Amino acid sequence: MLGSLEIALALLQFASTWFMVGLIWLIQRVHYPLMERVAIDEFSTYQSQHQTRIAPVVMPSMLCEGASWACLWWYASNDVLTGLQACGGLLLAIIWISTFYIQVPIHQRLLEIKDTDLLERLVRTNWIRTVAWTIRGGLVAVHVYLLKL
């Protein structure tokens, strides 16, 4: 029988992951491509506001996703769930590494100057996170399904 903590953690992981799946697709297909249309004399301010406003939207969900993943991986009740969490953890590592070693540095450089090559690189490299979060969303959906919630 499932404990209420495991159920709560699975639902928290599901909600935070799927929030990020939706958000990353919105960013990938709408927000980042539209950055190119921001006027050059307004771009630095726009980029600064983007960073200021996106962090409080993204970070709580990323932290909830990471914490719930870690707890579920540690307390997984069978080998299948352990395997799902291991794969999910690998995807989280890819997402976090991509975020902090690729996307954040590009955003930092864009604070200084609007550069179309950097904007194209931002969109292109963000596919790493978009694909990883989408696959991860599938894994957490399977996890919830296997728990028969």
Side-chain angles (χ1 to χ4, degrees):
M1 176 142 191
L2 295 176
S4 58
L5 179 60
E6 186 176 7
I7 292 169
L9 289 168
L11 293 175
L12 178 62
Q13 179 179 235
F14 183 87
S16 59
T17 298
W18 276 99
F19 173 80
M20 291 307 301
V21 170
L23 183 61
I24 201 69
W25 275 99
L26 178 68
I27 288 170
Q28 181 65 30
R29 300 297 295 156
V30 178
H31 185 67
Y32 281 176
L34 286 175
M35 290 174 85
E36 189 174 309
R37 297 191 176 266
V38 177
I40 197 162
D41 59 327
E42 297 175 8
F43 191 80
S44 181
T45 301
Y46 175 86
Q47 179 63 17
S48 176
Q49 285 295 308
H50 162 77
Q51 287 183 278
T52 301
R53 292 173 184 229
I54 199 75
V57 173
V58 171
M59 288 312 297
S61 189
M62 287 179 74
L63 292 172
C64 283
E65 182 184 28
S68 59
W69 165 80
C71 291
L72 286 165
W73 179 73
W74 184 261
Y75 294 111
S77 55
N78 64 51
D79 290 342
V80 172
L81 297 180
T82 300
L84 284 172
Q85 291 302 344
C87 291
L90 176 61
L91 290 166
L92 275 179
I94 290 167
I95 290 163
W96 281 63
I97 289 167
S98 180
T99 298
F100 293 105
Y101 290 98
I102 299 174
Q103 277 74 45
V104 168
I106 292 172
H107 279 290
Q108 289 301 111
R109 289 178 59 200
L110 286 169
L111 283 171
E112 300 165 12
I113 188 169
K114 181 180 180 180
D115 181 318
T116 55
D117 290 337
L118 277 176
L119 287 171
E120 288 174 14
R121 184 169 183 242
L122 182 66
V123 172
R124 189 175 62 253
T125 60
N126 195 57
W127 279 110
I128 298 166
R129 299 188 303 169
T130 304
V131 169
W133 253 313
T134 302
I135 295 169
R136 187 165 156 63
L139 290 177
V140 300
V142 169
H143 185 149
V144 168
Y145 174 78
L146 291 175
L147 292 177
K148 299 179 183 356
L149 300 180

